[in-house]
Amino acid sequence: MTGGAEVPPALEGEHDDGLEEERAFFGRRKGKRLRDAQEIRLETLLPALRIDLPPGGGRIDPLTLFGQMDAPPEEIWLEIGFGGGEHLAARAAAHPRIGFIGAEAFVNGVVKLLADIEARGLRNVRVRDGDVAPLLARLPDACLGQVSLLYPDPWPKRRQRKRRFVSDESLAQIARLLKDGGVFRFASDIDDYAGWTLARVARCPDLRWEAATSRDWLQPFPGWPGTRYEAKALLTGRRPTYLEFSRIPR
Ligand SMILES: C[S@@+](CC[C@H](N)C(=O)[O-])C[C@H]1O[C@@H](n2cnc3c(N)ncnc32)[C@H](O)[C@@H]1O
């Protein structure tokens, strides 16, 4: 990361202070001061849910992460950049036999998800509280049934676009992690980012856009609980695009 004061417009006004630098992550790590109850959840609940990266670059067997579930998860689904976690918590509640991994680098978002996990009594969620990239590198091939990337930071200025999460490299990594027929979901209210993603998927040999009609990208995914950023986009009159790609069988 190069740091500096550039903030994606979607984040302006959300995160008031604190900007940590890290080589490959461009967002903010901390915002408003946490309340006592949030600090307590970070100290007591997060250690049990956090996914630790094994030292020495070792791989993680994601099936071992869900010992709290009554039975091994039928599939594992990943959400990258879950924000406040509203979508992740709603989906985890709706799919109790799926194991969910959520990754979010912004600690104020992580504490919101923790409160939701506690309130709903969820036992099928594990958390990466940091940059998702090192986690992706540690997961084995074909271990995920779904990956969601919802309203990623838009980085709208031309010179910032290389910071966007979607790149040829990240798509190759997502394709590596998806099972054959697995699904990659992307949503954005920034038309240019949707086009950017379509262009990169078109040259990714392992992913295919399955849309047949405009309904497929204008309507939310089935069972869609929405996200906080989506609600903000709709309020300001921006229309989201929903893209679903499938992993071409190996
Ligand atoms: C614009 S917000 C959208 C949040 C949420 N998905 C929603 O729709 O409400 C993008 C989120 O992605 C997170 N993020 C960006 N890059 C990330 C990374 N490499 N690893 C983990 N989280 C990341 C940011 O911290 C931010 O909370």
Side-chain angles (χ1 to χ4, degrees):
M1 167 172 184
T2 50
E6 289 165 344
V7 177
L11 295 181
E12 278 171 5
E14 291 290 314
H15 312 330
D16 307 331
D17 56 74
L19 184 65
E20 264 184 33
E21 290 196 357
E22 185 172 314
R23 197 164 48 86
F25 175 73
F26 301 103
R28 291 191 179 202
R29 299 300 188 112
K30 290 180 187 160
K32 289 183 186 132
R33 193 172 174 280
L34 300 179
R35 295 191 302 273
D36 287 351
Q38 293 174 319
E39 292 279 7
I40 289 168
R41 277 190 203 100
L42 272 188
E43 282 165 25
T44 57
L45 186 53
L46 183 58
L49 301 180
R50 172 185 282 137
I51 301 174
D52 292 316
L53 302 183
R59 285 271 159 106
I60 296 168
D61 176 356
L63 282 175
T64 62
L65 299 173
F66 295 97
Q68 293 297 313
M69 292 174 64
D70 294 336
E74 291 173 354
E75 275 196 351
I76 297 171
W77 296 355
L78 167 70
E79 184 170 332
I80 298 172
F82 58 71
E86 300 87 357
H87 174 273
L88 176 57
R91 295 201 83 215
H95 300 278
R97 295 159 78 111
I98 301 291
F100 285 81
I101 297 175
E104 174 53 60
F106 187 56
V107 68
N108 301 62
V110 172
V111 294
K112 285 196 178 112
L113 174 69
L114 294 178
D116 226 350
I117 288 173
E118 198 172 63
R120 293 174 185 258
L122 298 174
R123 295 161 68 187
N124 57 338
V125 180
R126 294 295 304 264
V127 177
R128 162 71 179 157
D129 57 323
D131 183 3
V132 71
L135 172 66
L136 298 183
R138 304 296 190 89
L139 292 170
D141 294 358
C143 66
L144 302 176
Q146 264 190 31
V147 175
S148 294
L149 177 67
L150 308 172
Y151 300 90
D153 296 327
W155 299 112
K157 293 182 187 159
R158 186 168 290 277
R159 67 192 156 81
Q160 296 173 333
R161 287 189 191 151
K162 57 183 180 302
R163 298 178 174 190
R164 286 179 169 175
F165 189 84
V166 173
S167 66
D168 294 326
E169 293 72 28
S170 65
L171 290 178
Q173 184 74 292
I174 288 168
R176 179 184 75 78
L177 295 174
L178 282 173
K179 305 196 310 196
D180 290 354
V183 165
F184 170 45
R185 286 180 171 180
F186 171 96
S188 180
D189 55 322
I190 308 296
D191 288 345
D192 165 63
Y193 203 164
W196 165 284
T197 299
L198 285 171
R200 279 151 188 78
V201 169
R203 64 190 188 219
C204 173
D206 300 323
L207 293 173
R208 180 167 51 214
W209 188 29
E210 300 287 5
T213 74
S214 60
R215 286 170 60 91
D216 293 320
W217 67 85
L218 293 175
Q219 289 198 348
F221 311 112
W224 176 245
T227 83
R228 200 161 66 94
Y229 272 80
E230 176 177 77
K232 287 169 63 171
L234 292 170
L235 272 179
T236 54
R238 290 197 302 279
R239 184 163 194 179
T241 301
Y242 307 91
L243 304 177
E244 187 164 285
F245 308 100
S246 63
R247 205 315 173 177
I248 295 170
R250 289 162 173 82

